[in-house]
Amino acid sequence: MLGLNKKDTYLLLLVAGLVIFAPFLLNPFPEGSAMAQFNAGYPDLMQRFVIFGVFAIGFNILFGLTGYLSFGHAAFLGVGSYAAMWMFKLFGMNVLPALGLSILTSGLFAVLIGYISLRRSGIYFSILTLAFAMMSYSLAYSVLATDMDGPDRQGLLQKGLTGGETGLQLTLEDPRIFGQQTAGEGNIPVPNIFGLEMRSAVEMNVGDWVFTFSVGYYFAALVMLLSFYLSIRIFRSPFGMMLRAIKSNQHRLNYTGLNAKPYMLAAFVVSGMYAGLAGGLMASMDPLAGPERMFWTASGEVVLMTILGGVGTLIGPVLGAGAIKYMENILSKINSDILHTWFAFLPDGLEDFVITLIYPFIGKGWHLTLGLIFMAVVIFLPGGLVEGGQRIARLFKRKKPSTKTPDGKTTPAE
Amino acid sequence: MEAIILQILNGLDKGSAYALIALGLTLIFGTLGVVNFAHGALFMIGAFCAVTLSRIISLSHTVIDDTQTDFLGNPLKVEVPYVYDWFGQATGDAIIDWAVPLSILFAIPVMIGIGVIMERGLIKHFYHRPHADQILVTFGLAIVLQEIIKYYYGANPIPTPAPSAFTGSFDFGALMGFDAGQIIYPYWRIIYFMFAALIIGGVFAFLQFTTFGMVVRAGMADRETVQLLGINIDRRFTLMFGIAAAVAGLAGVMYTPINSPNYHMGMDFLVLSFVVVVVGGMGSLPGAVLAGFLLGIVESFASMREVLDILPGINQIIIYLVAIIILLTRPRGLMGRKGVMED
C-alpha cells in the first residue's frame, strides 16, 4: 500500500492506530481516581508527543542514517517557530501557510549551515553545528531583538525580528492582511485551519472517564503521520541506501567514484526541514516563539529522544519522544504528598525511608532519572527501546528451537 | 592604549578558565582518545568543593554568652564556629576567610578520586565504542552529576567570597605610567591568572621532565608500542584522567569568587571549552592553552563599546565565529597534529 511493503504498511497502520486512538489509550484511569495523574490524554501533552515525534523523526534521518551527530538541531526548530509566528503576524492565522514558511525558512537555513558544517566530520561536525546553533541563539536573544523601527517604537519591528528574551508574541496591531486583525470581543485571533480553531476541543464522558479530542492534536498528528510515512519512504529509497553507505564506509564510497557530499547535504536539509516543521507546529499550537528553543540543551533533548527510542529505526524516535515527554510531564508532577498516599500501607518508619529513597528522582529531580536512564540505554542497550523490545521478543521465540536442536558447534579457544 | 591593555587584562581571567578546562579536555583526549562531555561537570564539582569546604569550616555550635543580652535581658545565644574552639578566634577567622584558597588542598584529592572512579567505572568501557557513543554517555553523566549537585545545593548561585585581603583592585595604570584609575583590575583576577599559569606550567613540566610524563607522552604517540615494552600504560592513563579532572576542578575552585557557583556553570563553560579545544587543535596541549587565552582576549575585545557600536551583539558570537573560520581554513586547528581525528 502507498508504495510500502507489507511490514512497513503494518508499521504505518500501527502508528496511525496508536495516534488516532491516543486520547483513549493515554487515558486509562478514570477521572478523580488516585491514578489519574498518570493520564497523559490531555491535548497539550499529546500535541507535544507528536510534535517532538516529528522533530525526532527528522533528526533520525540525519543521525540514524548517516551517523553524523548534529548537536545544534534546535536552531532549525527555533527558526521554524519564528517563521510561523511572522506568518501569523503578517498574513493571517491559517496554519498551512505558516507551516509552509517554516519548512522553507528552516530548509534554507539548513542549506547554509549544512554547506559549511559538512566540510568536516566526526566530532568536528558536532562542534560546528553546536557553534552555529549557539550563534543563532545568541543572535535571536540579543541582536535581532533590537529596535529596528527607529525611535517611535510603534511599528511591527519594535521588538526586532525575534522579540529577544520575552519571545515573539502576537499583538492586536499586527496587520494580518489576509485574516481578521481582531477576533470577536477584541481578542487576538487564534491559529486555525480554514476557520477550525486549533484549540477547540470536544469532550466525551464515558462513565468516569473524560476523553478530550482536540483539533490541534489531530492536526499535529496528521502532520506527524505524513512525516512518518515520508521517513519510511526515505529509509527504503535508493537515497536512503546511499546515506547508509556513508555511515558504514565513506572512504569506500569515495573510491567507487561517488561524491557523498550532495547526499549528506540533502539529508541535512531534509532533517532541518523536519525540525522547522516541528517548530512551526509548536507555534501553531501555542502562538509564541522564544530563543530558548534554540539553546543547546534543546538540541541535546532531541538527541536523547532518538537514542532512547533507537537510532536508525523507524519507530524508535517516535517512541523516544513520547517516553521523554511523558516522563517530563508526569514524573515532574509527583510530589512528596502523592508519594505519602502511595506508600501509606507501609509502617511509618519504612514509609519515610522509601520516600527519601525515591524523592530525589521525581518532581524537580526528574532530570536525574532521565540522565540515569539515558546512560543505562547508551551503556547496555545502544539500540534503544526498539532493541530492548526485539531482545525480549527473541527471548520468547528462541525457547522452542533451542530445545529441538542442541548446539553442536564447538567454539574455538581464544 | 589604556583601553587595549584593559581589554587584554579582562580577557586573561576568562581565558585562564577556558585554557584550564581545555587543557584537561585535551589531556583526556590525547591520552585516552575519549571525548569527555562531562568535563564541564568536573569544573562545576570543583567549584562546589570550595562551597563544601567553606561550609564545613563554618560549622558552628550555639553557646550562651553571659556578657551579652538580647532585648529581653536574657543571655544571648551566639553561634560559635568549631574552628574558634580549636584554633582561637583570630586564627579561626583567618581560616574561614581563606576558605577558597584552602579548598585547593581539599579539591585535589577529591577531584583525582572522582576522575579515577569515572575512568575505571565508566569511560574504560567506551574506548572501543564510536566517538558518538562516548559523547552521549558522558553527556548523560554530565546531566546526572549536575542534577545530584542541584539536589544537594539547590538551584541558586551560592556566593563564595575571596579572602578579604584580595577584595580590592589593583591600579595597573599607575604602575605603567598612565594616569591613576585608568586601568584598575581586581586582585583576585590577577591571582586567578597567576594560578592558571602555575597549573599549566606544572602540567607541562610534569609531562616534560618526569619519567612518568615521558611514558605518558610516549603512550600518547604510540600506545601499543609502549604496551609491548611491558609498561602498564592503562594505569598511567587512568592517573592522567585523574589529573585532568583535578585541573578542571581547581579551575572551578578558584573561579568561585569571580562567579558564584551554580549547578549549570559547567555546561556553560563546556560548550565554549570544546570550541577552544577544536580551535587549538584536537590533541595538542599547547594549542589548547593558546586558543584558550586567545579566545578569551578576543571575546573581551569584542565587548568593547566602540566595537559593539559598529557590530551590535558581536561579543555574543565572536568565539563561535572565530571557531568556524578557523575550522574551515585550518581544519586541524591552530596547532593540531596530523592524523588526530581525521577519519
Side-chain angles (χ1 to χ4, degrees):
Chain A
M1 191 181 83
L2 298 166
L4 302 177
N5 66 24
K6 214 170 170 186
K7 215 174 136 196
D8 293 338
T9 314
Y10 283 140
L11 191 65
L12 183 65
L13 288 178
L14 177 75
V15 173
L18 285 177
V19 163
I20 289 168
F21 294 106
F24 297 105
L25 294 170
L26 294 173
N27 248 5
F29 307 110
E31 204 67 17
S33 70
M35 301 297 273
Q37 63 219 351
F38 287 111
N39 282 343
Y42 49 96
D44 197 35
L45 183 54
M46 290 193 299
Q47 281 163 13
R48 246 173 291 165
F49 285 168
V50 287
I51 291 172
F52 278 92
V54 173
F55 191 16
I57 290 171
F59 182 76
N60 191 38
I61 290 176
L62 181 69
F63 182 45
L65 284 180
T66 69
Y68 275 57
L69 175 59
S70 157
F71 241 86
H73 240 56
F76 306 119
L77 188 83
V79 167
S81 286
Y82 284 126
M85 284 303 292
W86 275 107
M87 210 65 183
F88 291 145
K89 278 166 104 70
L90 295 177
F91 292 102
M93 300 304 287
N94 196 327
V95 292
L96 287 183
L99 290 183
L101 188 72
S102 296
I103 296 174
L104 193 70
T105 330
S106 52
L108 288 174
F109 199 56
V111 171
L112 185 75
I113 292 184
Y115 184 75
I116 300 174
S117 308
L118 284 168
R119 296 173 63 167
R120 309 304 318 279
S121 62
I123 171 95
Y124 291 104
F125 174 78
S126 304
I127 305 272
L128 270 176
T129 44
L130 182 62
F132 272 116
M134 287 306 286
M135 244 169 82
S136 320
Y137 166 79
S138 299
L139 287 175
Y141 197 87
S142 58
V143 185
L144 295 177
T146 45
D147 187 2
M148 295 180 193
D149 271 357
D152 58 335
R153 291 186 177 269
Q154 288 298 314
L156 207 55
L157 283 172
Q158 58 174 323
K159 292 184 84 184
L161 263 178
T162 59
E165 194 181 351
T166 48
L168 198 59
Q169 290 161 352
L170 298 176
T171 58
L172 281 172
E173 285 81 41
D174 295 334
R176 278 188 273 282
I177 44 180
F178 292 120
Q180 75 236 87
Q181 208 172 1
T182 46
E185 298 137 32
N187 291 327
I188 298 172
V190 288
N192 59 58
I193 177 161
F194 304 117
L196 205 54
E197 285 186 1
M198 278 296 145
R199 65 176 180 209
S200 59
V202 184
E203 283 199 353
M204 187 169 95
N205 288 296
V206 181
D208 282 340
W209 284 266
V210 180
F211 302 112
T212 319
F213 305 95
S214 101
V215 176
Y217 168 68
Y218 277 104
F219 176 70
L222 188 70
V223 173
M224 196 275 258
L225 283 177
L226 285 176
S227 336
F228 187 63
Y229 170 70
L230 193 65
S231 105
I232 298 181
R233 291 301 297 260
I234 290 176
F235 267 63
R236 302 287 180 246
S237 66
F239 172 64
M241 289 296 286
M242 206 65 191
L243 296 181
R244 270 180 242 253
I246 292 173
K247 185 180 188 175
S248 55
N249 197 335
Q250 198 170 349
H251 290 298
R252 188 180 286 180
L253 206 62
N254 291 340
Y255 294 147
T256 41
L258 284 159
N259 185 3
K261 279 279 151 56
Y263 292 97
M264 291 295 312
L265 188 61
F268 192 83
V269 171
V270 168
S271 163
M273 284 160 111
Y274 266 85
L277 175 64
L281 277 176
M282 269 185 198
S284 314
M285 298 307 144
D286 181 15
L288 183 78
E292 73 284 347
R293 275 183 198 167
M294 296 171 141
F295 199 60
W296 74 280
T297 44
S299 307
E301 198 180 10
V302 73
V303 180
L304 298 188
M305 287 171 179
T306 314
I307 304 282
L308 185 68
V311 189
T313 58
L314 284 167
I315 199 166
V318 185
L319 287 180
I324 285 187
K325 283 291 144 190
Y326 182 78
M327 282 207 312
E328 179 182 341
N329 278 271
I330 306 301
L331 222 50
S332 58
K333 258 195 297 187
I334 304 172
N335 54 27
S336 59
D337 290 344
I338 297 176
L339 279 185
H340 275 286
T341 52
W342 284 355
F343 292 104
F345 64 90
L346 291 172
D348 272 356
L350 197 60
E351 180 187 335
D352 288 342
F353 177 68
V354 170
I355 289 170
T356 18
L357 273 190
I358 299 179
Y359 187 67
F361 298 99
I362 49 126
K364 281 179 197 155
W366 83 273
H367 273 111
L368 181 59
T369 321
L370 178 69
L372 288 172
I373 291 177
F374 178 65
M375 275 177 74
V377 165
V378 177
I379 296 170
F380 301 112
L381 211 63
L385 293 177
V386 170
E387 192 191 314
Q390 282 168 351
R391 279 196 200 174
I392 292 169
R394 231 180 296 144
L395 216 62
F396 285 107
K397 269 185 196 158
R398 206 186 284 158
K399 274 180 188 161
K400 279 181 200 164
S402 66
T403 47
K404 262 190 272 176
T405 52
D407 189 18
K409 275 185 288 181
T410 50
T411 46
E414 281 190 62
Chain B
M1 189 62 199
E2 291 93 335
I4 290 174
I5 294 175
L6 189 62
Q7 292 312 323
I8 290 178
L9 286 176
N10 277 338
L12 283 184
D13 64 303
K14 212 155 200 192
S16 316
Y18 293 155
L20 284 177
I21 302 177
L23 181 71
L25 273 175
T26 311
L27 271 181
I28 293 176
F29 184 78
T31 51
L32 303 168
V34 171
V35 183
N36 183 16
F37 254 62
H39 209 69
L42 293 173
F43 175 76
M44 184 258 313
I45 290 176
F48 276 90
C49 279
V51 174
T52 314
L53 191 78
S54 72
R55 282 192 183 173
I56 289 176
I57 56 184
S58 328
L59 275 182
S60 50
H61 58 111
T62 1
V63 288
I64 294 168
D65 189 350
D66 293 327
T67 57
Q68 289 171 286
T69 50
D70 62 8
F71 62 99
L72 287 172
N74 299 322
L76 193 67
K77 284 179 186 167
V78 278
E79 298 268 315
V80 177
Y82 284 106
V83 279
Y84 282 16
D85 300 348
W86 299 336
F87 302 106
Q89 183 150 11
T91 329
D93 268 337
I95 289 177
I96 292 176
D97 192 26
W98 283 73
V100 171
L102 279 177
S103 312
I104 295 174
L105 300 176
F106 174 64
I108 290 175
V110 171
M111 294 312 297
I112 291 183
I114 290 177
V116 169
I117 292 170
M118 219 170 116
E119 200 272 337
R120 284 289 94 181
L122 179 71
I123 313 273
K124 188 179 79 174
H125 307 287
F126 277 81
Y127 292 158
H128 302 296
R129 302 268 289 263
H131 280 302
D133 279 7
Q134 298 170 353
I135 294 177
L136 294 169
V137 80
T138 46
F139 180 58
L141 182 68
I143 297 177
V144 170
L145 291 174
Q146 189 175 312
E147 289 302 313
I148 292 174
I149 292 289
K150 183 176 156 197
Y151 180 72
Y152 284 105
Y153 292 90
N156 295 326
I158 303 165
T160 319
S164 48
F166 298 126
T167 42
S169 294
F170 180 66
D171 199 334
F172 260 109
L175 194 73
M176 287 186 282
F178 297 111
D179 298 333
Q182 283 284 348
I183 307 172
I184 46 169
Y185 196 61
Y187 281 118
W188 187 259
R189 300 195 175 208
I190 304 173
I191 305 267
Y192 193 82
F193 170 66
M194 292 197 303
F195 177 78
L198 195 72
I199 298 261
I200 292 167
V203 169
F204 276 98
F206 179 69
L207 285 177
Q208 209 66 39
F209 302 123
T210 61
T211 319
F212 188 98
M214 187 187 72
V215 173
V216 168
R217 276 186 295 130
M220 282 166 91
D222 189 341
R223 184 182 184 142
E224 280 187 3
T225 310
V226 175
Q227 267 175 327
L228 289 174
L229 290 172
I231 294 170
N232 187 352
I233 192 74
D234 286 350
R235 211 170 61 205
R236 286 173 168 80
F237 279 179
T238 306
L239 193 66
M240 283 318 286
F241 196 101
I243 290 174
V247 169
L250 291 181
V253 168
M254 295 296 273
Y255 208 70
T256 46
I258 299 178
N259 211 343
S260 302
N262 55 12
Y263 71 98
H264 56 76
M265 69 188 290
M267 286 290 192
D268 303 344
F269 264 94
L270 179 80
V271 177
L272 288 172
S273 303
F274 260 111
V275 173
V276 168
V277 170
V278 170
V279 167
M282 248 12 225
S284 157
L285 294 172
V289 174
L290 178 77
F293 284 112
L294 200 69
L295 289 182
I297 292 170
V298 165
E299 191 185 16
S300 89
F301 269 106
S303 330
M304 282 168 74
R305 172 142 331 136
E306 290 84 352
V307 180
L308 284 178
D309 280 345
I310 308 167
L311 296 163
I314 188 76
N315 57 336
Q316 309 265 350
I317 60 166
I318 184 76
I319 287 193
Y320 305 111
L321 218 55
V322 170
I324 289 163
I325 292 168
I326 286 193
L327 270 191
L328 294 178
T329 52
R330 281 185 68 90
R332 277 179 206 132
L334 290 175
M335 302 177 78
R337 285 180 300 161
K338 198 179 176 196
V340 178
M341 292 286 305
E342 304 252 301
D343 44 14

